Amino acid sequence: MSKSLKTFIKDMCERVIVTFAEALLGAISVYSCLGEIEWKKALGIAGLSALISFLKCIVARQIKDEKSASLIK
């Protein structure tokens, strides 16, 4: 595996995990304000957010630079 691919995978994993955690915390916050936390829905929201983040990283690699998962230079 090339160094640029390792860098990309590491960058992508960090972004996907952080996005999942942020979305989960946001969903938990909203559901706790509404009364009861609905874990299935909160995890679904976080999972979908992580999937979108993953797809964005793949697109960024195709558009910009194969070493980075970012669209920003």
Side-chain angles (χ1 to χ4, degrees):
M1 187 180 310
S2 69
K3 184 177 179 183
S4 64
L5 182 58
K6 286 181 184 179
T7 302
F8 170 76
I9 290 172
K10 182 179 174 185
D11 190 22
M12 180 183 63
C13 287
E14 177 187 348
R15 290 169 190 272
V16 170
I17 290 168
V18 168
T19 299
F20 180 86
E22 291 170 343
L24 183 60
L25 286 173
I28 289 171
S29 298
V30 169
Y31 282 121
S32 66
C33 289
L34 297 175
E36 186 177 332
I37 298 173
E38 296 192 34
W39 287 101
K40 268 188 171 179
K41 290 181 182 178
L43 289 169
I45 290 167
L48 180 60
S49 298
L51 176 63
I52 292 168
S53 177
F54 172 79
L55 294 173
K56 188 220 57 114
C57 291
I58 299 299
V59 169
R61 185 168 194 239
Q62 299 300 316
I63 291 174
K64 193 184 109 357
D65 182 5
E66 68 178 34
K67 292 183 277 185
S68 174
S70 175
L71 285 170
I72 299 172
K73 289 184 179 185

